[in-house]
Amino acid sequence: MSVPILKQGDVLIASIQSALSDQDLIELREDFADKIGRFRARGVVIDVTALDVLDSFATRTLRGIAYVGRLRGATTVVVGIQPEVAFAMVQLGLALDGIETALDLEEGIAYLNRTARRSPGYVR
Amino acid sequence: MSDEIRVPIEREEDVVIARQKGRELAAATGFSMTDRTLIALAISEIARNIISYAHRGEVTICRVDDGLRVGVLIVAEDEGPGIADIELAMRDGYSTAKSLGVGLPGTKRIMDEFELTSVVGKGTTVRMKRWLR
Amino acid sequence: MAELLEQRESLALMHQMGINSGAIDRRKQIVGLTQADVARIATVRDLVLRRIDDYAAAFFQHLAKFEEARPLLQNPALLERAKRLKIEHLHGLVSGDYDTRYVEQRIELGLVYAAAGLDNRAFLGAFLSLIKHIGADIMQHADHSPIDAFEAFMSLQKVAFFDIGLIVDVLVAQRERVIRQQQEAIRELSTPVLQLRDRLLLLPIIGVIDTYRARLITENLLESIRANRARMVVMDITGVATIDSRVANHILQTVTAARLMGAKVIVTGISAPVAQSLVSLGIELGGLDTVNDLQGGIEFAERSLGYTVLQGQPIDAPLNGVS
């Protein structure tokens, strides 16, 4: 079960629909690595609204995706973490250090647009 | 004991099954949304440890009642290599190559009761409980 | 019908208090109640039953002397029930059967006293008076030797103490329940999240923050962030009673959780002494955005969201009502 990655301008978006297997998450990371390069994406939005739990493995994978993105010049934003999931993560001690977060898809893209305007090399 | 669910943990798909079952039982027991997520997370972490280290094991989830309160009991057992230095594994921030990392100390934090026994070469058992407030 | 509900309440309380047959046996053990006592009580049963109304009356007459019992005496419905249950009690006292049904009746009576807000001391005084009356009669009408009569009375006293244990436990349990409910209400009232502007929330925290309350505050805040699509939160802790390492930890957790939902939290109201004590406790507040005062925090949040506040000429316009 793979996750489709959509392109909107120079932003790549993936909506994780349900509990993914570890293999799916790894494939997602590789898929991102490939597409970020190919499409010269400057932003990545990963929507985890449908996930009812983010455990240490999922967190590590998201960090992995963000790292790969950063290496290729793209900013990653994770969106859609639900209140209970955020609470549970913090209680467990999981952190998404170095990854931006936003409320939802709309906010995530708005964030990328805001930061894009400020970054050098941005051409209107 | 009624309401006991056993989930064999052999593939990482089983981690998801175990935590879904845990979430269902927690809901049936009357836990809030937040607590259900915490319980699901705790199950996810220890089930993953089984896969990572022992490759095979079992998670048992059941409702408990001590006369005054109700709650859930989660037992994770495996016949893996065991943990040599338990104290080290339970220390916050400790992490091996496969990252026991946050798993154990964090899980202990979010459950009300947490008990880990391990014998090198024989296996590990984690027993944890969360009570309804 | 009403009786059925009352019975269910006493059964529920019994279950909650853990009073099963094992617990009842334990209570009997504690007062030293044995079969021998039951046999002795049987010898004075008829005597007690003859004057049952007088003894019940003595109980309530004693209560009437004290202000502390007024709530019960001035409540006709409860008083009526209490009197009926007291007669029932006295029957049971000499019945020789002190098991589940008997205990349930004690609990039921205890609930009536709790509902009337009867003071523990007033209850104990009245009960003592009642027992003294019974004792006096037993000694006066001692057919057998005075020693037998005395021993029969002492056996009865054991049951009396058994009863007192139950009634007092019920009164205490009920009082604790009320306190818990009040605490809950206070907690709910004291974690408001206010929307200051579009996307900007204000969370003033006042009072003591324990683990339970910290969790309530966090859950409330996260829900509000979602409902209001907030991007900024100003969390003011001026009113927080003590800020030790645990409280600081709670605050950090709340901030981190909010961040996971895309909201930035600005903490305001850390006074200089508090800041110093946190430093001396070695608490890392790096990564926490803090502003000294509430106004500064709100202004910072507004600017971050792109608001510019301009002050023009004041306008004296009525809102509602008459200006």
Side-chain angles (χ1 to χ4, degrees):
Chain A
M1 180 197 353
S2 61
V3 180
I5 297 181
L6 310 168
K7 186 169 112 69
Q8 194 182 87
D10 46 7
V11 172
L12 295 178
I13 302 168
S15 272
I16 300 182
Q17 282 314 310
S18 60
L20 293 192
S21 74
D22 298 0
Q23 192 52 33
D24 292 331
L25 283 168
I26 292 172
E27 276 171 15
L28 182 63
R29 194 184 66 209
E30 285 165 4
D31 207 2
F32 265 120
D34 168 49
K35 291 199 163 79
I36 291 171
R38 249 200 294 144
F39 300 121
R40 314 278 222 100
R42 61 163 177 87
V44 169
V45 180
I46 305 176
D47 189 344
V48 299
T49 306
L51 291 186
D52 64 350
V53 128
L54 274 174
D55 62 11
S56 56
F57 181 81
T59 308
R60 271 201 300 281
T61 310
L62 289 173
R63 281 211 291 264
I65 295 174
Y67 182 68
V68 158
R70 205 166 27 246
L71 288 176
R72 304 192 125 197
T75 305
T76 303
V77 187
V78 172
V79 307
I81 298 178
Q82 297 305 297
E84 314 78 45
V85 179
F87 185 82
M89 284 174 72
V90 161
Q91 291 284 294
L92 193 71
L94 293 173
L96 279 181
D97 291 335
I99 307 184
E100 284 305 315
T101 45
L103 189 70
D104 56 21
L105 207 53
E106 192 189 318
E107 287 304 306
I109 292 173
Y111 170 81
L112 288 171
N113 288 338
R114 278 199 308 274
T115 45
R117 249 172 257 132
R118 289 199 296 269
S119 68
Y122 178 77
V123 179
R124 218 180 254 282
Chain B
M1 223 184 299
S2 62
D3 289 15
E4 185 182 272
I5 304 167
R6 285 177 183 267
V7 183
I9 307 288
E10 276 157 34
R11 303 184 314 265
E12 19 105 338
E13 285 83 14
D14 298 330
V15 172
V16 175
I17 295 172
R19 77 173 184 231
Q20 294 289 57
K21 295 281 175 198
R23 192 181 267 279
E24 278 161 26
L25 185 64
T29 309
F31 281 100
S32 69
M33 192 57 185
T34 307
D35 281 328
R36 287 181 232 165
T37 307
L38 285 169
I39 290 166
L41 189 52
I43 293 173
S44 198
E45 293 299 312
I46 58 165
R48 269 195 201 289
N49 279 351
I50 293 177
I51 302 278
S52 299
Y53 293 91
H55 306 299
R56 247 185 32 185
E58 188 179 67
V59 168
T60 306
I61 308 160
C62 63
R63 200 187 139 107
V64 282
D65 189 330
D66 71 354
L68 289 171
R69 320 166 277 184
V70 289
V72 287
L73 164 67
I74 299 149
V75 182
E77 287 172 299
D78 65 65
E79 286 170 13
I83 301 170
D85 192 334
I86 296 178
E87 204 230 296
L88 185 62
M90 290 301 297
R91 211 182 293 167
D92 251 320
Y94 174 72
S95 168
T96 62
K98 277 201 199 155
S99 201
L100 249 179
V102 166
L104 285 180
T107 307
K108 178 176 175 164
R109 256 203 301 277
I110 64 183
M111 298 299 274
D112 293 327
E113 291 173 35
F114 184 94
E115 211 181 273
L116 185 152
T117 42
S118 185
V119 179
V120 174
K122 289 196 106 179
T124 306
T125 303
V126 174
R127 289 175 63 91
M128 47 194 199
K129 290 183 189 160
R130 187 141 171 115
W131 296 103
L132 194 61
R133 279 160 228 292
Chain C
M1 195 20 65
E3 252 180 53
L4 213 58
L5 284 170
E6 280 134 24
Q7 269 176 10
R8 249 181 274 171
E9 209 197 328
S10 40
L11 281 174
L13 185 56
M14 266 175 82
H15 182 75
Q16 223 177 293
M17 288 168 71
I19 300 179
N20 50 23
S21 56
I24 293 172
D25 286 339
R26 184 84 191 122
R27 283 170 181 262
K28 287 180 188 168
Q29 263 176 21
I30 289 173
V31 296
L33 186 67
T34 63
Q35 272 306 112
D37 293 307
V38 173
R40 281 187 218 115
I41 289 170
T43 65
V44 294
R45 181 184 302 135
D46 290 336
L47 173 65
V48 172
L49 288 177
R50 254 203 305 265
R51 297 196 53 204
I52 206 165
D53 292 320
D54 295 333
Y55 299 139
F59 180 84
F60 291 99
Q61 270 156 25
H62 189 94
L63 282 182
K65 293 193 219 157
F66 301 102
E67 242 185 65
E68 288 85 344
R70 199 165 300 162
L72 174 63
L73 297 169
Q74 285 178 349
N75 186 325
L78 286 174
L79 186 59
E80 185 55 51
R81 265 187 75 201
K83 284 183 171 168
R84 191 172 40 83
L85 290 172
K86 181 49 75 183
I87 302 280
E88 206 182 77
H89 173 211
L90 291 169
H91 276 285
L93 189 66
V94 291
S95 68
D97 183 358
Y98 311 114
D99 290 316
T100 316
R101 178 73 194 128
Y102 181 79
V103 169
E104 199 192 308
Q105 287 173 335
R106 293 312 104 245
I107 307 267
E108 205 186 325
L109 186 47
L111 284 170
V112 172
Y113 294 153
L118 182 61
D119 187 282
N120 290 10
R121 297 162 296 181
F123 161 71
L124 290 170
F127 198 67
L128 178 63
S129 172
L130 180 159
I131 294 295
K132 272 170 59 182
H133 274 87
I134 296 179
D137 282 351
I138 289 178
M139 293 315 293
Q140 220 168 36
H141 293 85
D143 296 342
H144 331 277
S145 71
I147 293 179
D148 284 348
F150 180 72
E151 286 189 340
F153 180 53
M154 287 314 287
S155 293
L156 201 62
Q157 288 255 59
K158 288 183 183 178
V159 183
F161 271 87
F162 176 79
D163 290 351
I164 290 173
L166 289 165
I167 301 277
V168 168
D169 281 348
V170 170
L171 290 174
V172 168
Q174 291 301 85
R175 184 154 332 140
E176 285 178 349
R177 198 171 57 92
V178 169
I179 292 175
R180 270 201 306 273
Q181 284 171 344
Q182 287 172 339
Q183 282 179 336
E184 190 56 50
I186 292 173
R187 282 190 168 126
E188 301 224 337
L189 285 171
S190 60
T191 54
V193 178
L194 311 161
Q195 178 166 35
L196 214 57
R197 285 196 194 287
D198 200 27
R199 314 306 203 89
L200 171 56
L201 297 176
L202 173 61
L203 174 60
I205 306 183
I206 297 169
V208 175
I209 304 191
D210 55 21
T211 307
Y212 180 64
R213 190 158 172 235
R215 177 168 150 160
L216 267 178
I217 291 172
T218 308
E219 286 179 345
N220 222 13
L221 176 62
L222 297 180
E223 246 323 297
S224 302
I225 289 172
R226 195 177 62 92
N228 294 294
R229 302 175 58 77
R231 268 178 43 216
M232 283 274 166
V233 177
V234 175
M235 180 161 88
D236 185 73
I237 59 173
T238 313
V240 175
T242 8
I243 303 185
D244 56 14
S245 58
R246 266 184 348 145
V247 174
N249 213 42
H250 287 313
I251 293 172
L252 272 171
Q253 285 191 338
T254 307
V255 171
T256 311
R259 203 197 134 249
L260 288 174
M261 291 185 67
K264 183 179 170 116
V265 178
I266 297 161
V267 180
T268 62
I270 299 182
S271 65
V274 169
Q276 270 165 9
S277 71
L278 288 175
V279 166
S280 69
L281 281 169
I283 293 165
E284 259 306 319
L285 286 180
L288 199 67
D289 289 283
T290 61
V291 177
N292 199 24
D293 65 298
L294 181 59
Q295 185 171 353
I298 292 174
E299 284 170 5
F300 177 83
E302 286 174 334
R303 280 198 310 272
S304 304
L305 286 168
Y307 286 109
T308 323
V309 181
L310 299 167
Q311 175 158 39
Q313 286 291 93
I315 302 168
D316 283 316
L319 183 59
N320 305 307
V322 188
S323 83

